[in-house]
Amino acid sequence: MLWLVLAVVALGYATPLNFLVTKPTLRGGAGIRIVHSDHVLSRKTARGDRSGVAAIGMALAIGVVSRRHQRLTTAARAVTEVAQVKLSKIIGGKATPAPPVGPAIGAFGLNIAFFVKEYNALTADKVGEACPCIVHVMSDKSFKIELKTPLTATLLHKAVGASKGSGKAGKDMIGTISIEKLEEIAKIKLADLNCEDISRAMKIVHGTAVASGIKVEGYEKWLKKSVPKPKSIMDRYGPGVSRLPAPWGEGPRLK
């Protein structure tokens, strides 16, 4: 289409087009002068015709380009994220169309079989382990899988050989782990926690351990050497390490 428009523009500059000439206006002698003997336009009229045809051609070209740009922009905007599906109770390499996967994915019209195949391929190196994920649902019924770290409680329960928590925090204990094991679990969860340092990550994991009825040996001793609490809400360190006092972070030492 664009090449045809350009051809019209070139033709308009090259030669006058007699079929575009309208009938002359007889009022006051104004209008387009036509030589009836040989039907050849005057030079002034020919130049006007060429300019008019060129203008029409340029307008058509701009319209074609504009429509193409609009179609590309519309196509780019067409595929957007419309929802997120969190699957926390799903095992790596062993996903099936059965609940909870099937109903959660099928509710958005996604291809369940394709999701199961792709998820199992992504978690082939973690078969049998808890591998939660977030499914980003797109407007064209496609999806993206974002793997997350296992739930903190799941890691703690596995460390003590229990299937679930005690249900009575502070009264019934289901097991004990060492401070080293707490640090190991904190390193696994660090990517999904609202902090960037292992010290505060260990405190967060310890809170889940207490709620599950798991005791951490040596935690009180370690706590005395960990990051101290800020003096006030205005002195909070934030999730990063830039304001965290040395030697735990990059900030100045506490006085």
Side-chain angles (χ1 to χ4, degrees):
M1 179 63 184
L2 184 58
W3 66 267
L4 181 61
V5 173
L6 295 176
V8 172
V9 175
L11 185 62
Y13 278 107
T15 180
L17 299 180
N18 294 341
F19 61 82
L20 291 178
V21 178
T22 59
K23 293 181 179 181
T25 303
L26 300 178
R27 185 180 301 171
I32 300 175
R33 179 184 177 188
I34 300 179
V35 180
H36 295 284
S37 58
D38 53 1
H39 299 287
V40 179
L41 300 176
S42 65
R43 293 182 179 179
K44 183 175 181 180
T45 304
R47 284 196 301 268
D49 289 343
R50 286 194 294 268
S51 299
V53 173
I56 294 173
M58 289 300 294
L60 291 174
I62 293 173
V64 170
V65 174
S66 177
R67 285 192 295 273
R68 284 188 177 182
H69 176 72
Q70 186 177 5
R71 285 196 298 269
L72 291 175
T73 303
T74 303
R77 293 178 179 176
V79 182
T80 57
E81 183 177 320
V82 296
Q84 291 184 3
V85 181
K86 296 182 179 180
L87 298 175
S88 56
K89 297 180 179 180
I90 184 170
I91 304 301
K94 295 185 177 181
T96 65
V101 176
I105 298 299
F108 294 94
L110 303 182
N111 189 319
I112 301 175
F114 185 70
F115 168 81
V116 169
K117 181 179 179 180
E118 185 171 345
Y119 174 83
N120 289 337
L122 290 174
T123 58
D125 58 336
K126 301 177 181 178
V127 177
E129 299 180 11
C131 296
C133 69
I134 296 178
V135 184
H136 300 271
V137 182
M138 312 307 290
S139 58
D140 62 347
K141 303 301 181 181
S142 63
F143 59 86
K144 298 178 182 178
I145 301 176
E146 179 186 357
L147 295 179
K148 307 296 288 185
T149 58
L151 297 177
T152 305
T154 301
L155 296 174
L156 289 169
H157 297 162
K158 183 179 179 180
V160 298
S163 59
K164 60 180 181 179
S166 67
K168 296 181 180 180
K171 295 182 178 181
D172 296 340
M173 308 301 292
I174 63 173
T176 303
I177 61 174
S178 63
I179 190 67
E180 290 77 19
K181 188 63 177 181
L182 181 71
E183 182 178 2
E184 179 184 333
I185 296 176
K187 288 180 178 179
I188 296 175
K189 291 296 300 180
L190 185 60
D192 291 338
L193 298 179
N194 189 29
C195 62
E196 298 178 2
D197 61 290
I198 192 64
S199 181
R200 285 182 292 178
M202 290 174 67
K203 291 183 179 181
I204 296 174
V205 175
H206 178 262
T208 305
V210 172
S212 298
I214 299 175
K215 182 180 179 180
V216 181
E217 290 182 343
Y219 181 77
E220 288 73 16
K221 183 180 179 180
W222 170 86
L223 188 61
K224 296 178 181 179
K225 300 179 181 179
S226 66
V227 181
K229 293 183 179 181
K231 296 180 180 180
S232 66
I233 191 173
M234 299 301 295
D235 298 322
R236 288 186 301 181
Y237 307 128
V241 297
S242 59
R243 296 182 58 187
L244 201 65
W248 305 280
E250 301 173 355
R253 290 180 177 274
L254 296 175
K255 297 180 180 180

